[in-house]
Amino acid sequence: MHAYKGIKIVNGIAIGKIKLYKAPVYEISDELVSDIKAEIDRFEAARVKVQEQQNALYEKEMKEGRKDTAGIFEAHAMMLDDDDLIDSCKEIMSEGHTAEYAVRDGFEAAAEMFRNMDDPYFQARSADVIDIKNSMLDVLFGADTENLQGTEPAILVADDLAPSETVKLDKSLLLGLVTRLGSSNSHTAILARSMNWPTLIQCTDISDDWDGKFAILDGYNSCIYIDPDKPTVEALTAKQQEDKEKEAKLQELKGKPSITKDGYKVRLYANIGGPKDINAVRENDAEGVGLFRSEFVYLNSKTDPTEDEQFEAYKRVLESLAPRLIIIRTCDIGADKTIDYMNLDKEENPALGFRAVRICLTRRDFFKRQLRALLRASAYGNLGIMFPMIISRWEVQECKEILATCKKELEAEGATIGKYEIGIMIETPAAALCADELAEEVDFFSLGTNDLTQYTCAIDRQSANLERFADTHHPAVLRLIRETIEAGHRHNTWVGICGELGADPTLTEEFLKWGVDELSVNPKSILPLRENVRNIDLSKYKIPEPKAEAKEEVKPEVKPEAKPAEAEKPKGLLGRLFG
Ligand code: PEP
Ligand code: MG
C-alpha cells in the first residue's frame, strides 16, 4: 500500500478502481500553408462548433438547476465572440500558419494575460481560456473527447480537468476526483464542491501506472491510498458507511430548532455571495443569511453595477428568502478583492490600505448607489445592512448619516422603504476593543474572525508560508470574541459570528457559553452545526444574566420561526431561552 498526499477540496471517502485520464497531445506543424482562406474557414467552422457545444452545456446545466456552472459555459461561448481574440488568431493565419497553430498561439497569449493579473480570481480564469483552446484543437483534429470515464464506476485521476470536461462527467460513474494540478479557486474545484464529490487537487505523485489499480480516496486525511491493505480498506469502508448514515440523519434535522439540550437557542445563518446561492440556503435549512458578501455583485460585473442592477440582486435574495433576515454587507472591496473598473492605486500593504468602508466613505456617489439599492430592496423582505472594516465610531456615524440622506431622497421620490437593522463587522482589534461605544450606534455586531485573526496576530490570511504560525484558536482572538459578545450584550446589541471560525465545531460550545446569538457559516455547515448545538448542554456553566435595558428604536430578536423585523430584541442570554 502507498499513500499519496494532495489538497482536499471536498471531504468524503471514495473506494474503487482508478481510471486515469490523459488529455490528448497534439503535434502542431509550424510549416506555412498557401491557402490562407481555407485555414480561416476551418478556424471559423471550429469556432462555431465549439460555441454550439458550450451553448449546449449551458442549456444542460440550466436544465439541471446549476445556474452557477451554467454561467461558466455562457462565458466560454461569449469568449468565442471576442473580437480581439478572433483578430489575433486571424492575424497569425494571415502570415500563412495553420488554424491549429493560430489557435494554440492566439489563445495561449490571452491565457497568459489572465495569468499575469494580480487578482487570483482572474488568474484562475486563464484555465477557462485554455479549456476553450483545447476544445478548438479537439474539433480541428477531429478527436473524440466524449468518453473520459470508461464504463465502470471509478475514481477519476487526471493532470487537470477543464470545466467542460468536468461537466460532461457521468455522475453515476464518478466515485471521486484526483488531479495533479488545479487550485482551490479553479472552476473544477467549484464544480466538485457543488457536486459534493470527494476531491483532491495538487496530488503531485500521480503516475501512469495507477490506471486500473484499486484505491481509496480519503478526503478527510487529504490522501489517496493505492493498493490499500486490508485494515485500511475495512476502516475506510466503515467510515464511508458512517458518512452515509450521518448524511441521512442530518436531513432529519431540517425544520428542527438549533437549540441546546438545556434550551439555549442560537440562530444558524448562511454566508452567501449572491442570488445564485438562494437554493443552498433553502436546501440546508439556514434560518437566515448572516453575510451576503455584496462585493461579489461587483466582482461578477464588467462595469460598476448600476443602482437598478444592484437593487434587482438584493431584491431577489430578500424576496425569495423572506421572512428570513438577510444581512447584506456593503461593498468590501480592496485587499485581495480588486476590481479593474474601480481604478484603485497599487498599495504596499493592501490589507491595511484603502478598502471596504474607507473606499465607500471617500467615494460617496459609489456608496450612495449601493445604499439606495439596499433601501429600495428593504421593501421586499427583512434586511440588515452591515458596514465592514470599521475601526472608529465616527465611521459608523458617517455611514448612518449617508444612509439617512439616501432614505430622505428616496422618500421624496416616492419610493417604498421597509424596516431594516443596522450592524457592523467587528473584524479589527480596534473595533473589538471599542465595542462598548460602537454598540451604542448599531443593532447588531458580526464578528469577522478571518480578518480579526489576521489583524490581531499580524498573519497575512493570503500567505501559504505562515501556516505554522497561524493559530486560529489564538487566545488573543478568542478573548476579543468573548469580550465583543459581552460588550454587545451590555448595550442590547445582538452579536453573531460570520468568519470561518463560526463553523469550527470545536468552538461551538465556547461561543454558546459566551452567549453568541447567531453563527453564520457556509450553507453546507448548517446541518452539522445544528447537530452539534443540539448535543451541547450548557447547564454545567453558570450563566450570568446580562443587563438588558432597551435603547430607543430597539430592534427585534430574530427567532428562527419569527419574522425578525416583527419579533422582540433579545434580552440577553436568558432572552434566548427556548420556551
Ligand atoms: C471576515 O473577515 O471574517 C469576514 C467574514 O469577511 P471576509 O472573509 O469577506 O473578509
Ligand atoms: Mg473581512
Side-chain angles (χ1 to χ4, degrees):
M1 172 174 90
H2 292 282
Y4 300 97
K5 281 274 176 198
I7 293 176
K8 149 186 83 187
I9 293 294
V10 183
N11 261 334
I13 308 280
I15 304 175
K17 273 193 184 168
I18 285 183
K19 166 74 184 153
L20 194 80
Y21 167 66
K22 286 249 162 231
V25 180
Y26 299 119
E27 291 271 331
I28 296 176
S29 159
D30 49 12
E31 265 176 41
L32 298 181
V33 292
S34 53
D35 193 347
I36 290 170
K37 186 179 172 307
E39 290 309 303
I40 292 180
D41 288 348
R42 288 180 59 232
F43 171 87
E44 270 305 315
R47 190 175 73 81
V48 169
K49 175 131 193 230
V50 174
Q51 205 164 37
E52 280 168 7
Q53 289 171 349
Q54 299 297 316
N55 283 330
L57 291 170
Y58 166 79
E59 296 295 337
K60 173 175 174 280
E61 290 301 282
M62 285 300 278
K63 224 188 234 159
E64 291 173 15
R66 288 187 293 273
K67 280 196 191 148
D68 45 351
T69 53
I72 300 171
F73 302 110
E74 191 181 24
H76 284 185
M78 275 158 60
M79 207 183 284
L80 285 159
D81 273 333
D82 185 272
D83 286 339
D84 289 343
L85 187 58
I86 296 171
D87 289 348
S88 74
C89 292
K90 285 189 177 163
E91 208 175 303
I92 298 170
M93 286 181 281
S94 70
E95 290 162 7
H97 291 292
T98 60
E100 290 84 348
Y101 187 105
V103 165
R104 183 193 64 196
D105 284 15
F107 281 67
E108 280 292 350
E112 186 62 15
M113 187 192 74
F114 277 108
R115 248 178 247 126
N116 290 332
M117 288 183 173
D118 288 337
D119 188 317
Y121 176 82
F122 288 112
Q123 284 169 5
R125 300 291 70 77
S126 63
D128 294 274
V129 181
I130 297 295
D131 185 13
I132 290 295
K133 178 198 82 173
N134 290 337
S135 301
M136 287 284 290
L137 291 177
D138 289 341
V139 171
L140 286 165
F141 278 97
D144 172 18
T145 55
E146 287 307 306
N147 190 9
L148 313 181
Q149 286 171 284
T151 49
E152 282 176 71
I155 299 171
L156 192 67
V157 173
D159 275 343
D160 204 1
L161 281 181
S164 56
E165 289 170 324
T166 315
V167 82
K168 277 186 216 151
L169 296 174
D170 178 346
K171 267 198 267 175
S172 65
L173 296 179
L174 191 80
L175 302 175
L177 190 60
V178 181
T179 63
R180 185 198 306 276
L181 305 170
S183 74
S184 49
N185 230 349
S186 69
H187 274 132
T188 300
I190 296 169
L191 284 161
R193 274 192 213 104
S194 73
M195 305 283 195
N196 215 16
W197 297 319
T199 301
L200 281 190
I201 58 167
Q202 295 189 21
C203 184
T204 47
D205 297 307
I206 287 174
S207 116
D208 286 0
D209 67 6
W210 287 13
D211 198 22
K213 288 200 168 154
F214 180 63
I216 303 186
L217 193 176
D218 179 357
Y220 295 100
N221 290 308
S222 306
C223 71
I224 179 162
Y225 299 96
I226 306 293
D227 294 328
D229 56 24
K230 202 162 167 248
T232 307
V233 175
E234 280 170 6
L236 292 176
T237 306
K239 175 82 186 116
Q240 191 185 42
Q241 187 53 32
E242 199 184 296
D243 280 356
K244 282 185 192 153
E245 285 160 17
K246 259 198 196 151
E247 180 62 33
K249 248 197 143 24
L250 279 178
Q251 298 304 309
E252 293 170 12
L253 289 177
K254 287 188 180 172
K256 299 234 167 101
S258 308
I259 185 167
T260 63
K261 285 188 169 167
D262 54 320
Y264 282 94
K265 198 151 70 167
V266 63
R267 290 176 260 144
L268 297 187
Y269 284 10
N271 291 346
I272 66 167
K276 68 176 176 30
D277 298 322
I278 289 171
N279 275 347
V281 172
R282 290 202 188 109
E283 278 163 17
N284 293 285
D285 199 27
E287 297 153 25
V289 169
L291 172 63
F292 173 165
R293 289 180 161 99
S294 74
E295 57 275 12
F296 285 101
V297 174
Y298 294 78
L299 284 164
N300 288 332
S301 177
K302 279 192 179 145
T303 51
D304 195 356
T306 62
E307 179 185 316
D308 281 348
E309 282 165 352
Q310 292 190 58
F311 163 70
E312 286 303 331
Y314 306 149
K315 176 182 163 214
R316 226 175 105 200
V317 174
L318 280 155
E319 210 169 30
S320 318
L321 295 173
R324 296 173 181 87
L325 176 64
I326 309 297
I327 296 177
I328 304 185
R329 174 173 76 182
T330 58
C331 189
D332 184 10
I333 219 68
D336 55 319
K337 293 174 249 177
T338 55
I339 304 181
D340 282 351
Y341 59 75
M342 297 281 298
N343 293 319
L344 298 170
D345 291 339
K346 275 232 172 298
E347 293 176 293
E348 284 289 312
N349 290 305
L352 305 181
F354 191 52
R355 56 173 296 196
V357 83
R358 300 169 185 179
I359 296 177
C360 292
L361 290 178
T362 310
R363 299 188 181 182
R364 299 247 169 157
D365 289 343
F366 170 82
F367 194 25
K368 279 179 79 178
R369 258 199 306 282
Q370 177 167 41
L371 296 179
R372 284 174 58 94
L374 286 168
L375 288 168
R376 284 169 57 198
S378 68
Y380 295 86
N382 278 307
L383 173 66
I385 300 177
M386 177 158 76
F387 304 112
M389 279 298 293
I390 294 293
I391 58 167
S392 301
R393 186 173 191 157
W394 70 262
E395 294 167 333
V396 188
Q397 289 170 336
E398 213 166 292
C399 288
K400 285 165 62 182
E401 275 161 30
I402 301 172
L403 187 66
T405 309
C406 291
K407 189 168 176 232
K408 252 195 210 146
E409 286 171 7
L410 283 165
E411 280 166 349
E413 291 164 27
T416 311
I417 294 168
K419 283 187 181 171
Y420 52 89
E421 299 187 46
I422 296 178
I424 54 172
M425 300 273 303
I426 301 287
E427 53 184 342
T428 62
L433 292 167
C434 295
D436 270 295
E437 54 174 301
L438 294 174
E440 290 175 6
E441 298 289 341
V442 294
D443 304 306
F444 66 89
F445 285 158
S446 189
L447 280 146
T449 54
N450 310 334
D451 277 319
L452 188 61
T453 306
Q454 148 163 280
Y455 296 127
T456 305
C457 300
I459 291 277
D460 179 352
R461 64 190 268 191
Q462 299 290 107
S463 171
N465 300 327
L466 297 176
E467 209 63 30
R468 205 179 131 219
F469 302 95
D471 175 5
T472 52
H473 293 196
H474 195 289
V477 177
L478 297 183
R479 186 162 146 194
L480 289 175
I481 295 173
R482 194 190 69 228
E483 290 180 1
T484 298
I485 297 171
E486 288 167 359
H489 287 171
R490 275 195 289 276
H491 300 270
N492 227 16
T493 293
W494 66 263
V495 186
I497 298 177
C498 65
E500 293 298 301
L501 224 49
D504 182 336
T506 64
L507 287 173
T508 313
E509 185 158 329
E510 287 294 279
F511 292 153
L512 296 191
K513 194 173 83 184
W514 299 339
V516 78
D517 299 281
E518 172 247 29
L519 294 170
S520 191
V521 298
N522 78 68
K524 288 235 156 73
S525 295
I526 299 270
L527 293 176
L529 203 53
R530 182 171 295 161
E531 184 186 40
N532 198 2
V533 167
R534 290 169 67 89
N535 284 326
I536 288 173
D537 187 349
L538 293 176
S539 61
K540 57 183 181 265
Y541 305 110
K542 188 176 177 312
I543 303 166
E545 186 173 2
K547 238 175 44 203
E549 278 167 28
K551 290 181 293 199
E552 268 180 58
E553 283 193 46
V554 165
K555 288 292 171 176
E557 174 184 16
V558 186
K559 291 185 178 169
E561 63 275 36
K563 187 173 172 179
E566 288 165 0
E568 249 183 59
K569 179 144 184 165
K571 299 204 169 35
L573 286 177
L574 297 178
R576 295 195 325 284
L577 264 175
F578 186 66

